[in-house]
């Protein structure tokens, strides 16, 4: 069968979904381009690994959008958050089995934040624990999933920092900011 026939599922997406798919794939491609620069400087094996990781992420994004067509339903906003390139292999399996539903738990988060009495004096430790209270609202499965995602990001950052440090302070600072952005993104999907 032709590749055009293999891509027919894209025509069944809404215009907004197609646009979102294109943006996500473009982001992955741009991210891969940067990572390939680091990896190719390191070794052929590192470059091959990075290319396979990129292809895995692209397939994950495509399979998520394909499932929208197969399920013939509109996507949940939380599903789109889980589609980003910040996913782990366990997330791919989780999303394929409806795991994205657990990310939609944050509906009342803004309401809960609004009820915090900001005029009361709080010790720094208490303020820190209050900032992390949202984690207590998660199920054990969700907390475990969050911990796994954050551990994956930390491990990935450790590898990327090795590459970035070879390119100097600016590259290392950029990688650290990128890591922090990804951590905040993952946390926001659970809040």
């Amino acid at each position: 069968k032709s590749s055009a026939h293999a891509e027919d599922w894209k025509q069944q997406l809404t215009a907004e979904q197609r646009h979102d798919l294109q943006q996500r794939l473009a982001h992955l491609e741009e991210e891969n381009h940067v990572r390939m620069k680091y990896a190719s400087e390191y070794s052929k094996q590192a470059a091959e690994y990075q290319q396979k990781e990129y292809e895995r992420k692209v397939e994950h994004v495509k399979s998520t959008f394909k499932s929208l067509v197969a399920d013939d339903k509109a996507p949940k906003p939380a599903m789109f958050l889980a589609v980003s390139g910040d996913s782990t292999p366990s997330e791919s399996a989780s999303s394929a089995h409806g795991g994205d539903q657990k990310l939609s738990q944050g509906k009342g988060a803004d309401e809960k934040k609004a009820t915090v009495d900001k005029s009361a004096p709080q010790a720094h430790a208490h303020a820190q624990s209050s900032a992390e209270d949202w984690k207590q609202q998660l199920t054990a499965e969700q907390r475990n999933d969050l911990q796994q995602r954050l551990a994956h990001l930390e491990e990935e950052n450790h590898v990327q920092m090795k590459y970035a440090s070879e390119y100097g302070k600016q590259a290392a600072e950029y990688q650290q900011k990128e890591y922090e952005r990804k951590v905040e993104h993952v946390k926001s999907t659970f809040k």
Side-chain angles (χ1 to χ4, degrees), residues 22-74:
Q22 289 171 345
Q23 282 186 317
R24 291 173 193 284
L25 293 176
H27 173 77
L28 286 176
E29 186 174 351
E30 180 180 318
E31 181 181 69
N32 186 55
H33 181 73
V34 171
R35 290 179 182 209
M36 285 298 285
K37 283 183 184 178
Y38 290 134
S40 64
E41 292 290 325
Y42 191 69
S43 71
K44 182 179 179 182
Q45 187 178 15
E48 289 172 355
Y49 172 82
Q50 176 54 41
Q51 185 61 32
K52 286 180 183 176
E53 183 67 8
Y54 164 71
E55 291 168 2
R56 182 194 65 78
K57 289 178 179 182
V58 166
E59 284 307 309
H60 174 72
V61 168
K62 285 183 175 182
S63 70
T64 302
F65 281 86
K66 284 179 184 178
S67 72
L68 296 176
V69 171
D71 293 344
D72 195 32
K73 64 181 182 183

Side-chain angles (χ1 to χ4, degrees), residues 88-143:
T88 64
S90 64
E91 285 178 57
S92 299
S94 175
S95 292
H97 294 90
D100 55 89
Q101 293 174 354
K102 64 187 167 189
L103 297 179
S104 64
Q105 289 284 329
K107 285 186 179 179
D110 290 332
E111 296 165 338
K112 290 176 187 172
K113 289 178 191 174
T115 61
V116 174
D117 182 10
K118 295 184 182 189
S119 63
Q122 297 178 352
H124 178 70
H126 180 70
Q128 180 65 25
S129 68
S130 294
E132 299 293 313
D133 280 348
W134 62 269
K135 289 181 181 178
Q136 300 307 314
Q137 302 298 320
L138 300 174
T139 66
E141 182 182 357
Q142 290 170 326
R143 281 193 299 273

